[in-house]
Every structure is written in C-alpha cells, then in structure tokens.
C-alpha cells in the first residue's frame, strides 16, 4: 500500500514562497497518491438484465470555449446501448458529460472506459449503491481499461451527479471537465406536474481560469492554492462562458442548480430582490417549497429552483448574482497587506459580489406546470430510533501539522479506525465538526502555529512583527469552510451548532441554508458543527467520507468508514 500523501512541514516552509508563482497548465499536473486496485474488476453480470445500458468514456478533447484557440479538456462522452433515448442527453458545445436520466427501480449498466493518460474511476455522487460500484479510490483503472457498473436505482427522485474519484487527482480531473448530472425520478415525483423536457434545465456552476492561449490554469498559487482550495477568475454555466440561459417568457421552469466548483461557495440571490424558491435539495424533493432571500450552495450541493416567467414580457432579463459575505479565505493574498502572496489575488474573491448567470426571455411560450404546496411526503428518520442519539460519533475536520485531517488522521487507502466502523441495519447520528485552524498544541516547543508564530519560539515566523503574525496567516489562514460528503447514504440534518461561528459571518449566511429534505453533503462554515442522522442499510463494505473542497480531499481530508 502506498503511503498517504503527506506534506513535510520544513519543505513546505522552504518552498511555499517559490511555489506561489508556479502556474500549472493542463495537462502538466503532477502525479499524486492514486493507486490501481489489486482486486478483480467487475465484469458483465450474466443474470443482470439492464433497463438502461450505456457506455461512458473519459477522453481528451480540444474544445472551443473562448474565442480563439481551442481549450484542451477532459470530458465524459456517452453512448446509449439500450434503453429509452431520453435516458442520455448530450449537452452540445461543452466539456460537461451527458445528463443521465433514470427511474427508481430501473437496473442500470454503465461501461466506463478510461481513455485518459492516467488512472481514474467514476463516483456516483449521492447514489445508494453496493461497495464495488461506488467509485472508491482503490478501484481506479489504468488508461485503456474498462470498469463495469451494474446496479438497481434505489434513490428517491432528486438531482445527483457523477465525477472522478482517484485519490490525489480528483481536483484536477474535475477541473479539467469530468462531471455530469444523473437525474432520478420516481412515482411520487411523476404524480406532480413539475416542468419536463426543455423546461427542466441543468445549471452547473463552475469557476475556471484561462491563460492567454485559452488553456485551463489550475493551482497557479502552487502549494498554498492546494491548502486553501482553487478559485477561478470567471464563472462558467454548463461549461460555457456566456453565463446566459435563453428561456421563454410566459413559461415556468425547473432549474437544477449544481455547484460543480472545486472549492467556491455561492450565496445566490436574484438581483431584482425576488425570492429564490427552492423545492428540492440533493437527494429529494422537499415536503414543501421554501422561499429564501438567498441560497447558500457549497461545493457538490444541488438545489431545485422554481422560476416563473408567466407574467414576464419577452425581452425580460433576470440576473442571479453572488451576494457578498465576509469569508475571504485568503483570496486577497496569504498575508493580506503587501505579503508574500499579494500577487495571488483572485479576480473573484470568495464572498465577493458578481453575476453568476442571466436569464434572458428571448422568446415567448406557455405551459401549465405547477408547484404544489405539498411535494414529497414527510418520511424523515425518527431520531429516537438512533442507537447513539445522546452520544453521537464525532468527526472533527481540521488542520494539523500542515495536513488536512479528520479526527487527526489523513487518508489511508483501506484503513478504518474503530469509530469508523458501523453496523449494517443501524441508525446513527454523526456530529460533523469544523475544527478550525492550524494550532498545534504539541509539547515540543516547535508547533506549526502556536501563540507566538508559525515556528514557535525563535522560529522562522515567530514574533509579533514577523511577516506572519496573529493578524496575518495564523489568525485567518485555516479558518475555512468544509463541505462534508458521506458516500452511500442520504441523511437528514438534525441541527447546526453555530456558537463558535463568527457572528458577522453567521448573520450574513444564516437565512440561506436549507436543512429540510435528504442530503449527502453539508456545508460547515468555520466554527460550525452539524448533527446528521442516517441509516446504514442494504450493503456492507468500505465507503468514504470527506471534505468536498476537492483540494482538501486530494490532500488527505478523506477517510474510510466500514459497514459490517
């Protein structure tokens, strides 16, 4: 087994300044700690009779995104072998993968072929599937190999998605373009009169940076960019730079929002002050629609938003913007005021205000879709059925020794700690804790960041007047949000504890969280914790949970849990 990806503290301190200026352009990404599985790859099931059978290839392409030179991307390409032709929808002119549409109860076979120059594997984000079909990092396949997925769709109606999951390489592979939507419907949803066809729209929001030759630039801040997470300098919608949806006045729409960015958080609001009407989150419709002044959407989160253009004239423009909130995340530079990385500013700092997309009603039409007061039937887990309701398992996501950790541990390919072993058939509450920054309370006198500076007494950055003091890197650097994703399950959010959240930040974001419904990812702002309840049913095996800031995940903020 390969050793987990680790950062040597002394090497980091020596190289941080130099690496800040390094620009990494596709496809020259460095290889990290991914590992080919030694287990047998799944083969076509002799007794498995799929309702939908399709091919999914990960390929290299040259694509026209901006005017001028084509951009080198990695993309998923799909081909339907068996099933209704509506099961596979190709999005033209974009690097994004196809939209796969399935129904609960259908049997699905997906033949994933890796035509990339490195290992990869596909994770079906939010789906309840057996261990071998979840896309565990140990199951990566080499270039030229094929991995067969065969499973029955057991999920509720919802907006799911798929993306790569090789350890150490998820960030760059997603950034290069590997992502697609997986939409599930069921009988309950089909009884409702929700928008369909051209009125049911994917809206994948991502940030990207391009160089002067239109090539994707990733982690231009080098190692520090990995520590904080990637922020691009422009927003793309469905893989296109126009940031525009051409719709019809007089019609009603379902906008399926996906935050497909590596680490950027969105606070979405209509510029004209109209409420954002949400009726689905992650793995379910809500029981009833919610009207919000803004919506917080962390990485990997999905939201179904209702858009009513019934009384809007042709020519109407509506802009969805990112509203400001006080979470800079070092995007203005490592030390803020003239410091070592002042040149590493993002054009779109985290928490700043900027347009995300514009709806343009450039035609007219009509439809009779409706948004009912009652959507999904309430079927949430009864907390009293949890075996550990009064003593939840606790998982702290924090920085230690220049590594992103969970309960002080980093990624190990197959290792599982005692608190990461759960019983099949059980219902449990987990408390997910954003443990904050880099404080090292070791007794060795040389802590990463003690109260005197980065290297302790007499260290490289160890005084009030040094370039990284309590007002600079130490005070702010790793007070970062963590969007936590748990594989294999959908959970209910029981409560959030915001006692340790900065009051100014909490006041700016508190009205944008939707905790109703079924979730697979929960955004924890700095200092926040959340209790979630879930059931471990149907499948035993090894699954992962991790921060969905993809750079944090790649650096080791991911662990296994095992259902036994």
């Amino acid at each position: 087994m390969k050793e987990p990806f680790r950062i040597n503290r002394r090497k980091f301190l020596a190289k941080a300044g130099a690496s800040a200026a390094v620009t990494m352009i596709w496809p020259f990404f460095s290889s990290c700690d991914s590992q080919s599985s030694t287990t047998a790859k799944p083969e076509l099931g002799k007794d498995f009779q799929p309702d939908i059978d399709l091919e999914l290839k990960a390929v290299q392409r040259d694509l026209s995104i901006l005017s001028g030179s084509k951009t080198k991307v990695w993309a998923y390409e799909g081909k339907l072998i068996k099933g209704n032709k509506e099961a596979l929808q190709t999005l033209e002119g974009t690097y994004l993968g196809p939209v796969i549409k399935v129904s609960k109860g259908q049997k699905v076979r997906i033949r994933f072929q890796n035509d990339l120059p490195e290992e990869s594997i596909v994770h079906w984000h939010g789906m309840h599937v057996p261990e071998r079909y979840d896309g565990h990092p140990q199951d990566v396949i080499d270039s030229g190999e094929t991995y067969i997925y065969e499973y029955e769709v057991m999920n509720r109606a919802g907006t799911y998605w798929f993306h790569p999951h090789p350890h150490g390489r998820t960030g760059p592979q997603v950034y290069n373009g590997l992502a697609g939507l997986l939409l599930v419907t069921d009988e309950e949803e089909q009884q409702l009169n929700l928008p369909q066809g051209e009125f049911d729209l994917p809206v994948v929001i991502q940030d990207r940076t391009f160089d002067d030759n239109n090539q994707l630039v990733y982690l231009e801040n080098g190692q520090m960019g990995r520590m904080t997470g990637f922020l691009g300098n422009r927003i793309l919608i469905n893989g296109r730079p126009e940031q525009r949806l051409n719709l019809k006045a007089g019609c009603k729409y379902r906008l399926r929002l996906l935050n497909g960015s590596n680490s950027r958080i969105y606070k979405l609001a209509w510029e004209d002050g109209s409420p954002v009407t949400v009726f689905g989150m992650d793995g379910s419709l809500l029981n009833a629609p919610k009207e919000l002044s803004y919506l917080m959407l962390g990485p990997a989160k999905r939201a179904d938003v209702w858009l009513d253009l019934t009384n809007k004239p042709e020519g109407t423009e509506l802009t969805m913007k990112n509203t400001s909130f006080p979470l800079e995340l070092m995007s203005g530079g490592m030390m803020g005021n003239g410091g070592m990385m002042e040149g590493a500013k993002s054009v779109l700092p985290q928490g700043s205000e900027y347009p995300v997309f514009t709806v343009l009603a450039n035609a007219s039409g009509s439809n009779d879709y409706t948004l009912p007061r009652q959507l999904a039937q309430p079927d949430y887990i009864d907390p009293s059925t949890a075996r550990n309701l009064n003593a939840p398992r606790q998982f702290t996501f924090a920085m230690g020794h220049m590594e992103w950790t969970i309960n002080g541990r980093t990624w190990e390919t197959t290792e599982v700690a005692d608190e990461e072993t759960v019983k099949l058939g059980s219902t449990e509450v987990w408390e997910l804790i954003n443990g904050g920054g880099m404080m090292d309370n070791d007794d060795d006198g040389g802590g990463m960041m003690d109260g005197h500076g980065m290297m302790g007494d007499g260290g490289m950055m160890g005084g009030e007047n040094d370039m990284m003091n309590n007002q600079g890197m130490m005070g702010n650097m790793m007070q970062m949000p963590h969007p936590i994703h748990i594989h294999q399950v959908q959970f209910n959010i029981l409560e959030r504890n915001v006692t340790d959240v900065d009051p100014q930040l909490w006041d700016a974001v508190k009205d944008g969280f939707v905790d109703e419904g079924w979730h697979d990812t929960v955004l924890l702002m700095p200092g926040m914790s959340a209790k979630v309840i879930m059931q471990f049913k149907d499948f035993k095996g090894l699954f992962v949970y991790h921060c969905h800031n993809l750079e944090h995940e790649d650096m080791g903020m991911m662990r296994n849990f095992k259902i036994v």
Side-chain angles (χ1 to χ4, degrees):
M1 180 188 308
K2 292 185 180 180
E3 289 295 319
F5 179 83
R6 298 185 184 279
I7 298 173
N8 181 286
R9 292 194 293 176
R10 295 184 186 277
K11 288 183 179 179
F12 170 78
L13 293 171
K15 295 180 179 180
S19 66
V22 175
T23 298
M24 303 177 70
I25 303 177
W26 185 100
F28 301 106
F29 298 119
S30 61
S31 177
C32 296
D33 177 40
S34 60
Q35 144 179 334
S36 292
S37 172
T38 57
T39 59
K41 304 296 187 293
E43 299 179 350
L44 292 177
K46 295 180 181 179
D47 298 324
F48 187 84
Q49 299 298 321
D51 300 295
I52 297 173
D53 192 342
L54 59 89
E55 292 179 352
L56 188 70
K57 290 184 180 181
V59 301
Q60 303 178 81
R61 294 173 55 192
D62 291 334
L63 183 68
S64 293
I65 299 177
L66 307 177
S67 61
S69 301
K70 291 185 177 181
T71 303
K72 296 181 181 296
V73 297
W74 290 352
Y76 289 127
E77 294 181 350
K79 177 183 178 182
L80 187 65
I81 299 173
K82 176 186 176 182
N84 190 306
K85 64 180 182 179
E86 295 181 355
L88 193 69
Q89 175 188 349
T90 300
L91 301 178
E92 298 295 338
T94 174
Y95 56 74
L96 286 177
V99 178
I100 301 173
K101 298 183 178 182
V102 298
S103 298
K104 185 176 182 179
Q106 282 187 324
K107 292 183 177 181
V108 179
R109 173 185 289 149
I110 300 170
R111 310 162 191 245
F112 169 59
Q113 181 174 321
N114 179 18
D115 287 343
L116 304 176
E118 64 182 50
E119 299 169 328
S120 193
I121 195 69
V122 180
H123 167 53
W124 308 97
H125 186 113
M127 296 297 286
H128 181 61
V129 296
E131 174 189 40
R132 61 172 16 195
Y133 302 132
D134 183 59
H136 192 282
Q138 71 172 328
D139 293 326
V140 291
I141 58 174
D142 289 324
S143 179
E145 293 187 329
T146 298
Y147 198 99
I148 307 297
Y149 298 85
E150 294 179 335
Y151 57 83
E152 180 180 338
V153 178
M154 303 177 71
N155 287 65
R156 299 171 183 83
T159 302
Y160 305 85
W161 65 304
F162 56 96
H163 59 77
H165 219 292
H167 176 55
R169 300 293 295 158
T170 298
Q173 289 193 8
V174 172
Y175 181 75
N176 269 329
L178 294 175
L181 286 174
L182 175 64
L183 309 183
V184 178
T185 188
D186 59 16
E187 290 183 1
E188 184 175 45
E189 181 184 71
Q190 291 165 7
Q191 292 174 1
L192 303 173
N193 187 29
L194 296 176
Q196 299 180 31
E198 66 174 297
F199 305 104
D200 183 356
L201 292 180
V203 184
V204 180
I205 308 171
Q206 297 172 311
D207 55 340
R208 295 290 186 266
T209 295
F210 297 85
D211 68 9
D212 293 340
N213 197 37
N214 290 347
Q215 301 310 303
L216 290 168
V217 178
Y218 181 62
L219 292 182
E220 59 185 332
N221 301 339
Q223 191 60 47
M224 193 52 62
R226 290 174 60 85
M227 301 291 284
T228 59
F230 174 86
L231 294 177
N233 62 17
R234 65 189 305 162
I235 302 298
L236 272 63
I237 299 297
N238 293 335
R240 303 298 302 169
E242 292 84 6
Q243 297 176 246
R244 185 176 67 246
L245 301 178
N246 293 316
L247 306 183
K248 295 179 180 179
C251 297
K252 302 165 187 175
Y253 289 87
R254 177 180 191 168
L255 305 183
R256 296 186 187 253
L257 306 186
L258 161 64
N259 181 351
S261 301
N262 281 35
S263 69
R264 185 177 292 275
I265 296 166
Y266 298 96
K267 179 183 176 183
L268 300 174
W270 292 113
E271 194 169 49
D272 67 354
S274 300
V276 180
T277 303
V278 179
F279 64 96
M281 292 295 296
D282 284 4
S284 73
L285 298 173
L286 301 182
N287 298 152
K290 291 196 69 172
E291 290 193 348
L292 310 173
S293 55
Y294 58 86
L295 168 67
M296 297 302 300
L297 204 66
K301 290 295 290 183
R302 291 89 67 207
D304 293 304
V305 170
W306 182 261
L307 176 62
D308 189 348
L309 299 179
T310 302
N311 297 318
K312 304 292 185 182
E314 190 171 328
T316 294
E317 291 190 14
L318 296 173
T319 296
M320 180 74 83
K321 67 178 182 177
N322 190 76
T323 303
S324 63
F325 57 101
L327 187 66
E328 295 182 356
L329 291 183
M330 294 176 48
S331 56
M334 185 166 164
M335 289 159 292
N337 296 316
M340 177 172 68
M341 293 180 64
E342 186 65 18
K345 290 183 178 181
S346 168
V347 175
L348 297 177
Q350 186 80 280
S352 60
E353 185 164 319
Y354 50 85
V356 177
F357 64 86
T358 296
V359 170
L360 174 60
N362 60 357
S364 297
S366 64
N367 59 43
D368 60 356
Y369 298 119
T370 58
L371 182 64
R373 290 177 173 268
Q374 177 70 51
L375 290 156
Q377 292 296 320
D379 63 346
Y380 301 151
I381 301 172
D382 181 354
S384 68
T385 63
R387 58 189 294 171
N388 65 338
L389 177 62
N390 297 318
R393 294 179 192 248
Q394 293 184 323
F395 298 92
T396 299
F397 296 75
M399 170 64 72
H401 296 283
M402 289 306 292
E403 295 178 314
W404 287 115
T405 67
I406 305 175
N407 283 355
R409 304 183 182 94
T410 58
W411 170 248
E412 297 173 282
T413 306
T414 57
E415 295 301 311
V416 182
D418 288 343
E419 74 264 22
E420 295 170 325
T421 302
V422 300
K423 289 185 177 181
L424 183 68
S426 64
T427 299
E428 289 199 1
V429 175
W430 287 11
E431 185 175 12
L432 309 173
I433 303 165
N434 187 334
M438 301 173 65
M439 296 298 185
D440 186 346
N441 295 320
D442 291 349
D443 296 327
D444 58 11
M448 185 64 208
M449 286 188 175
D450 61 20
H452 302 287
M454 191 167 189
M455 293 295 291
D457 295 334
M460 173 179 149
M461 301 171 185
E464 290 184 351
N465 296 321
D466 290 330
M467 64 179 178
M468 291 186 188
N469 57 30
N470 290 336
Q471 301 304 316
M473 180 176 172
M474 186 181 77
N476 299 313
M477 176 180 172
M478 295 308 163
Q479 297 299 317
M480 298 186 64
H482 295 300
I484 309 306
H485 172 45
I486 305 175
H487 284 218
Q488 211 264 344
V489 300
Q490 290 285 324
F491 53 76
N492 302 141
I493 300 173
L494 296 179
E495 63 179 69
R496 293 180 189 263
N497 186 327
V498 300
T499 303
D500 296 327
V501 179
D502 178 83
Q504 184 181 7
L505 172 61
W506 179 237
D507 187 60
V509 302
K510 64 182 179 181
D511 295 328
F513 291 101
V514 178
D515 288 348
E516 296 88 345
W518 291 87
H519 301 253
D520 50 62
T521 308
V522 58
L523 175 61
L524 302 181
M525 305 305 280
M528 182 184 292
S529 65
K531 291 181 181 179
V532 301
I533 187 170
M534 67 203 91
Q535 296 173 326
F536 302 100
K537 57 185 181 180
D538 301 315
F539 308 118
K540 294 187 291 185
L542 198 67
F543 301 90
V544 301
Y545 66 105
H546 57 87
C547 176
H548 220 285
N549 178 319
L550 296 184
E551 286 68 52
H552 293 179
E553 173 187 335
D554 281 346
M555 290 187 69
M557 202 175 215
M558 175 167 64
R559 293 285 304 174
N560 291 302
F561 71 95
K562 190 170 187 178
I563 304 175
V564 299

